[in-house]
Amino acid sequence: MDRRLLRLAAAGFSLAAAAAVNVPASAAPAASGPAPFTCGPLRPAAPEGVAVESVTATAVPAGTFQVPGSPPLGGGQVEDVPAHCEVTVTLTHPGANDRATVQIWLPESGWNGRFQAVGGAAYAAGSIGSVAGAVKQGYAAATTDAGVDTSGLDSSWGLNPEGEVNAALLENFASRSVHEMAVVGKQVVDGVYGHTAFRSYFNGCSTGGRQGYLEAQRHPTDFDGINAAAPAINWNQFEVATLWPQVVMSQQHTYPTTCEFNAFNQAALKACDKFDGIADGLISNPNRCDFDPRRLIGTKVVCEGKEYTISAADADVVRRIWDGPRSSDGKRLWYGLPVGADFGPLATSTTTDGVTTGRPFIVPAQWVATFVQKQPGFSSANLTYPQFEEIFRKARAEYDTVIGSRDADLSAFRDAGGKLLTWHGDADPVIPTAGTVDYRKRVEARMGGSAKVDGFYRLFLAPGVAHCALNGADDLAALTAWVERGQAPGVLHATLPTADGRNLAREVCRYPMVSRYAYGDPTAASSFRCVKP
């Protein structure tokens, strides 16, 4: 597989770690006296239905942490990790033949009084690199592997030797292991420091974002604040819908080149860039961009020295991909690729001996093969429209209650005083931003409207930003200020990438507001205002 696609699948790991390293948090109230630090034998009580198999505690000196594994998911390093206690707790569910490992790292000095649990990416439930980053910022931090493969790109654990879905491991990955990590992790904090954490937070992107939402939905008292970016909620819809570009290209017998796909995005940017009041290389509101791909028919583009002429068939493929999957009677099944997002991850193809075939993105391809079809060798490269619709409906029927993560009732989380903060890139090619907006609208409909929901749940849409790729964001700092001082964020401060390779400091607006140029230096964040769309 193309290493760029692997890096994209792994984005939640590295970016969650980077966020933990780079984002400062407000100071916790000073403790009444020096906290005792005991990195010794611990025996946390197991949550109901769980048994603790083993517990180890190891004192680790300060230094550079080498993240285990190989690129692109592992192999990096986190420098200047302080001396800390590493506690490893192995959990099992009697009769399930599973073993989930929870790791809790606790700084020996400089603890900020907070507990931070970190999420995973793709098919990995956690990220030990993100734990190292959080400890570096003074948190006591934890993660879990849920008993599944930690590479994030291997779903073979999903089937048992008899070819049946491993329900215990799927439940671990989908929901229960994060809750159990929270319960056990807080006990370990108490045991090591002699008192509980002042506040508890969850931090994750992609799969980690989904985990955060599920915690708010099912375990509303586990965390005071949840930072859940680019959340993989509506799991069955978006996972299967991610295969739609491959279905379209196969069924239309047309595989546009990378250069041709890029030409459509460049034309859309040219048509819609000025909607925010200035041409700055960003489409600030992709939903408003109504560029018609047919306008490019007959345009010539050069790709690797070869000239191509964009055809009506190419334009039709792009139109269908942007529109998103529909049923046989024309009803929308889910949302399409956002206008301006990179086609590459989802619309990749390869040509051998003059024959072009699709290359489905590995994460949804594995979901369909392993869990929906229960045939590890099943290929999604040449699905027909009827087959796609059948798989889409089958996935929802079988797994929505397990991993759908789309329950819009957050009343218990609200009543517990919890705060949920989400940012999502408008150019995310893997998880359409529209799906997150769809969830937010359903929460509003259920819980009294936008103003009331804003009291505990805020969404920020970042123009030009790809999957888990918001740089320089102050999201975790904004969340702690909201939880601890009641300062609800109106904007997030971040750096946005433009189509021509520049990076612009901007304020990312709170949904449903969008950014619009007001006056002054167009490269300065102060020159823009958040306005109603």
Side-chain angles (χ1 to χ4, degrees):
M1 162 155 290
D2 189 318
R3 293 180 68 83
R4 180 169 59 90
L5 303 191
L6 293 176
R7 285 195 296 271
L8 182 61
F13 281 93
S14 59
L15 287 155
V21 170
N22 294 326
V23 179
S26 54
S32 57
F37 184 84
T38 306
C39 187
L42 299 164
R43 195 68 182 180
E48 184 177 355
V50 186
V52 175
E53 277 199 344
S54 64
V55 183
T56 62
T58 305
V60 178
T64 296
F65 175 65
Q66 299 292 333
V67 182
S70 302
L73 294 177
Q77 63 182 30
V78 181
E79 298 179 347
D80 301 320
V81 179
H84 59 279
C85 180
E86 292 185 9
V87 178
T88 302
V89 182
T90 304
L91 305 175
T92 187
H93 301 86
N97 194 31
D98 67 332
R99 284 174 180 79
T101 300
V102 177
Q103 294 193 57
I104 308 100
W105 292 17
L106 309 102
E108 183 176 328
S109 61
W111 179 41
N112 64 18
R114 303 179 181 92
F115 172 69
Q116 182 186 148
V118 300
Y123 292 110
S127 167
I128 197 63
S130 297
V131 168
V135 168
K136 185 175 176 178
Q137 289 299 304
Y139 288 88
T143 195
T144 177
D145 68 4
V148 305
D149 182 79
T150 58
S151 73
L153 300 178
D154 182 0
S155 64
S156 61
W157 53 266
L159 298 178
N160 63 24
E162 290 72 41
E164 301 167 336
V165 171
N166 192 321
L169 289 184
L170 180 57
E171 185 179 358
N172 284 0
F173 173 74
S175 59
R176 65 183 174 186
S177 284
V178 171
H179 168 61
E180 292 161 2
M181 167 183 59
V183 173
V184 169
K186 291 177 185 179
Q187 292 183 59
V188 169
V189 169
D190 194 359
V192 169
Y193 292 117
H195 63 85
T196 59
F198 162 64
R199 286 285 188 262
S200 295
Y201 294 92
F202 183 88
N203 191 22
C205 188
S206 193
T207 284
R210 183 196 63 77
Q211 291 167 320
Y213 271 69
L214 201 69
E215 279 290 293
Q217 294 163 10
R218 297 191 186 181
H219 305 287
T221 61
D222 278 355
F223 299 102
D224 302 296
I226 295 174
N227 190 33
I233 53 176
N234 310 298
W235 177 275
N236 292 292
Q237 289 104 314
F238 95 81
E239 281 289 13
V240 180
T242 306
L243 296 172
W244 178 248
Q246 295 289 332
V247 177
V248 169
M249 293 189 299
S250 174
Q251 289 289 277
Q252 303 307 121
H253 309 290
T254 301
Y255 293 85
T257 64
T258 298
C259 291
E260 289 171 305
F261 277 132
N262 289 343
F264 283 103
N265 268 341
Q266 290 163 5
L269 175 67
K270 184 177 180 180
C272 302
D273 190 352
K274 291 185 178 180
F275 285 0
D276 63 355
I278 192 169
D280 55 0
L282 292 169
I283 300 177
S284 291
N285 187 2
N287 289 330
R288 188 183 167 196
C289 184
D290 57 358
F291 172 74
D292 187 342
R294 290 176 297 184
R295 291 169 56 183
L296 250 61
I297 294 174
T299 301
K300 297 183 183 301
V301 298
V302 178
C303 190
E304 297 180 351
K306 184 176 180 180
E307 186 177 82
Y308 295 86
T309 301
I310 292 177
S311 66
D314 293 326
D316 185 52
V317 164
V318 170
R319 179 189 64 80
R320 291 172 182 264
I321 290 174
W322 279 346
D323 182 56
R326 291 186 179 272
S327 64
S328 57
D329 59 1
K331 294 181 179 178
R332 180 178 300 282
L333 294 175
W334 200 240
Y335 304 97
L337 183 74
V339 175
D342 184 7
F343 284 86
L346 310 189
T348 300
S349 61
T350 184
T351 301
T352 304
D353 296 328
V355 178
T356 302
T357 55
R359 295 172 59 193
F361 187 45
I362 187 172
V363 179
Q366 287 191 4
W367 177 251
V368 168
T370 303
F371 294 94
V372 183
Q373 298 298 94
K374 303 172 184 63
Q375 301 173 32
F378 182 84
S379 173
S380 302
N382 297 298
L383 295 177
T384 65
Y385 288 128
Q387 286 173 329
F388 173 86
E389 184 175 351
E390 179 185 0
I391 288 172
F392 185 92
R393 299 191 187 283
K394 184 177 178 181
R396 291 208 61 188
E398 189 166 357
Y399 296 109
D400 258 10
T401 58
V402 179
I403 197 173
S405 314
R406 58 190 313 274
D407 183 359
D409 183 3
L410 299 179
S411 56
F413 182 72
R414 175 202 60 198
D415 295 346
K419 300 291 185 284
L420 172 59
L421 187 151
T422 291
W423 61 259
H424 200 154
D426 270 330
D428 190 333
V430 177
I431 303 177
T433 313
T436 302
V437 172
D438 178 274
Y439 178 83
R440 163 74 193 214
K441 287 180 177 178
R442 291 193 295 109
V443 173
E444 291 177 4
R446 187 182 184 103
M447 302 187 64
S450 178
K452 289 185 177 180
V453 172
D454 272 347
F456 68 93
Y457 169 25
R458 295 200 169 192
L459 170 63
F460 300 82
L461 303 181
V465 173
H467 188 58
C468 290
L470 184 62
N471 294 323
D474 60 347
D475 50 347
L476 192 54
L479 179 62
T480 57
W482 192 10
V483 169
E484 297 171 17
R485 301 197 299 274
Q487 298 174 353
V491 297
L492 294 181
H493 301 278
T495 302
L496 304 184
T498 66
D500 57 5
R502 293 173 297 143
N503 292 300
L504 301 177
R506 286 289 171 83
E507 292 181 340
V508 180
C509 299
R510 170 176 54 88
Y511 173 84
M513 312 291 273
V514 296
S515 179
R516 184 167 181 82
Y517 176 71
Y519 57 84
D521 181 359
T523 66
S526 58
S527 299
F528 291 78
R529 298 290 181 268
C530 291
V531 300
K532 292 183 178 180

